[in-house]
Amino acid sequence: MRTGLFSIGLDTYWDQFPGLRDRLLGYHAEVRRQLESSGSEVVDCGLVDEPAKARAAGKRLRTEGAEMVFLFISTYALSSTVLPVVQEAGIPVVVLNVQPVPRLDYERFNSLGDRGRMTGVWLEHCQACSAPEIASVFNRAGIDYHLVTGYLQDPEVWREVREWVEAARVRAGMRENRLGVLGHYYCGMLDVYSDLTQHSAVFGTHVELIEMDEVRALRDRVGPAEVEHKLAEFRDAFDVSPECERGELERAARTSLALDGVVAAHGLGSMAYYYEGQPGSAHQDIATSVIAGNTLLTGRHVPVAGECEVKNAQAMKVMDLLGAGGSFSELYLTDFVDDVIYFGHDGPAHFAIAEGRVGLVPLPVYHGKPGKGLSIQMTVRHGPVTLLSVVQRRDGTLELLVAEGESVEGPVLLIGNTNSRYRFSLGAKGFLDAWCKAGPAHHCAIGTGHLGGRLEKLGALLRIPVRRVC
């Protein structure tokens, strides 16, 4: 991903204060180094110090495909050198109000004696002077912007910058993503129904509607050698329970191969699915054997949400793009003695965030769904976690619902499901009240790490609200 960078200054200063421009370019180089260390390819437009350069810098940012731009205030600059860059580029802008040091050495400064030289040193440190001017002009021009304030060696500054870069990377990933919808909603789950057009409008995601007949046709073409290869993949990826019957493993392997084919044929980066089919039909045979294959896909960065929960497929993809996994989950129960809440589901799982190996076990019945088959036993790795739900609000718009907590040790339910114990700063009761009142669907995506800051920045880039309950 590409991010843009330009510094601002005032060309009148260069002849007045020898050496000032070079020192400012040195600070610019440090900002660029920090951006590159975040994994971003930098479109460096250098020092923009007069209006003629501004429009050219904006065009370069646009034509070279920068996802967002960092505006470094190196010294005071006229807002007329700033506005054209951002207008021409048409991308989100983060203003870096970042001075060279946390505090000027006042005694050394005042001992310089030469007031002209002293003024030059002051101008080297007067980043804050331009910040309100830029904000005023952006406000009046209707330009959305974000501000980071600090100094060059301030770790908080670079943490904020890295979070902006990560948020921009996720935004780009969601825009490039192709989401498959296989089957239909679980009938009667009114909370999971979603406006696909709104998802394309907000995230830029392409939605591909897929027929079960396509999966069946691919499954019918699977040969014995392919099944054996997939079974070997199962044994390598899962802790396969001895209780799993050979016939069930082969059934899941054929379906997994068909799902792989669908993902490849449509270039999918995520999927939401649900189907029931008539008893004894080929479609029901597929629908009751998808969990193992969908877990493998999720582990290969193609997250899959069951019950056709499109909103949660989007949340899982966001988490995956952040490198946090994204386990498909719903509320299970509350332990009021230990003050923890259980979340889980019958699959799929995400290998990257598992506490130990992911188990593949047989289920005699899929609760609330037809048939029986294989399922997943997994616990999310103990430590910091973040819950994310994409919420469709009453007016049809989307928002992100976020909560930070901890995955904690303790007994889990050995029912062939993904389930873990979570503790929140609000306590179990406080969390449940705050989370539920925000109006999410009953599913959410759980990722490792505390990601609230990154998700708030993603919401800002997408221009949708973010509600953070803890």
Side-chain angles (χ1 to χ4, degrees):
M1 186 199 70
R2 293 179 174 178
T3 54
L5 169 65
F6 72 103
S7 294
I8 55 171
L10 183 58
D11 58 355
T12 306
Y13 291 156
W14 313 146
D15 291 335
Q16 293 178 329
F17 307 102
L20 174 60
R21 185 175 184 275
D22 289 340
R23 293 193 298 274
L24 299 182
L25 288 174
Y27 303 141
H28 175 97
E30 173 62 15
V31 174
R32 174 173 177 154
R33 188 188 69 79
Q34 291 283 356
L35 285 174
E36 289 174 335
S37 72
S38 70
S40 176
E41 181 183 346
V42 178
V43 179
D44 189 349
C45 294
L47 180 61
V48 176
D49 55 7
E50 48 92 12
K53 293 180 181 178
R55 192 69 63 181
K59 288 179 180 177
R60 184 181 171 199
L61 291 168
R62 177 164 43 81
T63 57
E64 294 193 23
E67 188 69 25
M68 66 183 303
V69 61
F70 290 91
L71 185 175
F72 173 47
I73 305 174
S74 71
T75 185
Y76 174 76
L78 295 169
S79 47
S80 62
T81 64
V82 177
L83 184 61
V85 182
V86 177
Q87 286 178 322
E88 190 69 41
I91 54 178
V93 57
V94 176
V95 179
L96 300 180
N97 175 28
V98 178
Q99 66 185 39
V101 292
R103 182 174 68 178
L104 196 64
D105 185 338
Y106 307 117
E107 185 176 350
R108 182 181 176 192
F109 176 83
N110 287 325
S111 69
L112 292 174
D114 183 333
R115 290 191 178 89
R117 185 180 172 196
M118 292 166 69
T119 300
V121 173
W122 159 60
L123 289 171
E124 190 180 340
H125 296 80
C126 77
Q127 285 70 29
C129 187
S130 275
E133 179 173 343
I134 292 168
S136 171
V137 172
F138 283 173
N139 288 346
R140 292 165 68 179
I143 292 172
D144 193 27
Y145 63 96
H146 313 282
L147 190 67
V148 176
T149 295
Y151 55 95
L152 281 177
Q153 302 306 316
D154 183 352
E156 281 296 298
V157 164
W158 304 119
R159 180 189 62 79
E160 288 276 320
V161 167
R162 284 192 299 275
E163 289 187 351
W164 279 115
V165 171
E166 289 181 34
R169 185 179 292 113
V170 173
R171 176 175 178 255
M174 295 299 288
R175 188 177 63 243
E176 295 163 5
N177 186 44
R178 293 170 62 86
L179 166 68
V181 177
L182 173 62
H184 56 74
Y185 293 117
Y186 189 117
C187 185
M189 280 187 184
L190 304 184
D191 60 325
V192 307
Y193 297 176
S194 193
D195 181 344
L196 299 182
T197 302
Q198 190 72 359
H199 282 272
S200 292
V202 170
F203 293 104
T205 304
H206 170 78
V207 179
E208 188 79 4
L209 303 179
I210 300 167
E211 298 289 343
M212 284 295 291
D213 285 334
E214 181 179 350
V215 183
R216 178 182 177 178
L218 288 166
R219 194 172 185 262
D220 288 345
R221 292 200 292 267
V222 170
E226 293 173 285
V227 170
E228 289 303 321
H229 186 271
K230 181 61 73 170
L231 289 174
E233 186 180 353
F234 281 3
R235 289 190 293 271
D236 182 61
F238 298 108
D239 185 5
V240 180
S241 169
E243 300 174 81
C244 294
E245 299 174 357
R246 171 77 185 192
E248 285 292 350
L249 288 166
E250 290 181 349
R251 192 163 71 94
R254 286 194 296 272
T255 301
S256 179
L257 287 159
L259 293 169
D260 291 348
V262 166
V263 167
H266 296 279
L268 302 182
S270 60
M271 188 163 66
Y273 80 96
Y274 185 73
Y275 208 78
E276 294 188 0
Q278 292 299 306
S281 70
H283 286 173
Q284 188 171 96
D285 191 53
I286 293 169
T288 55
S289 58
V290 296
I291 291 176
N294 284 341
T295 298
L296 291 177
L297 287 172
T298 298
R300 297 203 300 267
H301 308 292
V302 183
V304 184
E307 293 161 17
C308 208
E309 173 61 288
V310 169
K311 297 188 297 297
N312 211 57
Q314 296 284 69
M316 292 169 70
K317 186 65 177 181
V318 167
M319 286 298 200
D320 187 77
L321 288 167
L322 284 170
S327 184
F328 182 46
S329 298
E330 64 187 5
L331 284 158
Y332 264 25
L333 58 86
T334 305
D335 182 333
F336 291 106
V337 175
D338 289 346
D339 199 30
V340 297
I341 301 171
Y342 284 74
F343 282 82
H345 214 276
D346 58 10
H350 201 303
F351 297 98
I353 64 171
E355 182 73 29
R357 281 176 62 80
V358 175
L360 188 63
V361 301
L363 282 186
V365 61
Y366 290 131
H367 69 274
K369 307 179 182 74
K372 64 183 182 68
L374 303 182
S375 188
I376 297 300
Q377 184 74 46
M378 188 206 85
T379 296
V380 169
R381 186 166 59 244
H382 301 146
V385 296
T386 301
L387 278 61
L388 173 64
S389 180
V390 176
V391 180
Q392 185 160 337
R393 304 192 299 176
R394 182 178 180 181
D395 63 0
T397 59
L398 301 180
E399 74 173 358
L400 303 181
L401 176 63
V402 177
E404 293 181 341
E406 305 288 326
S407 172
V408 297
E409 294 185 29
V412 294
L413 313 181
L414 301 178
I415 58 174
N417 280 198
T418 69
N419 67 106
S420 307
R421 295 157 54 92
Y422 300 97
R423 182 169 286 124
F424 300 94
S425 59
L426 298 174
K429 290 182 179 179
F431 169 80
L432 283 170
D433 287 349
W435 184 264
C436 294
K437 285 180 179 178
H442 68 281
H443 301 121
C444 67
I446 298 179
T448 52
H450 283 166
L451 307 169
R454 294 166 178 81
L455 293 169
E456 286 175 337
K457 291 174 177 61
L458 174 62
L461 295 179
L462 294 171
R463 307 192 78 170
I464 60 173
V466 178
R467 185 182 304 195
R468 189 167 170 177
V469 301
C470 58

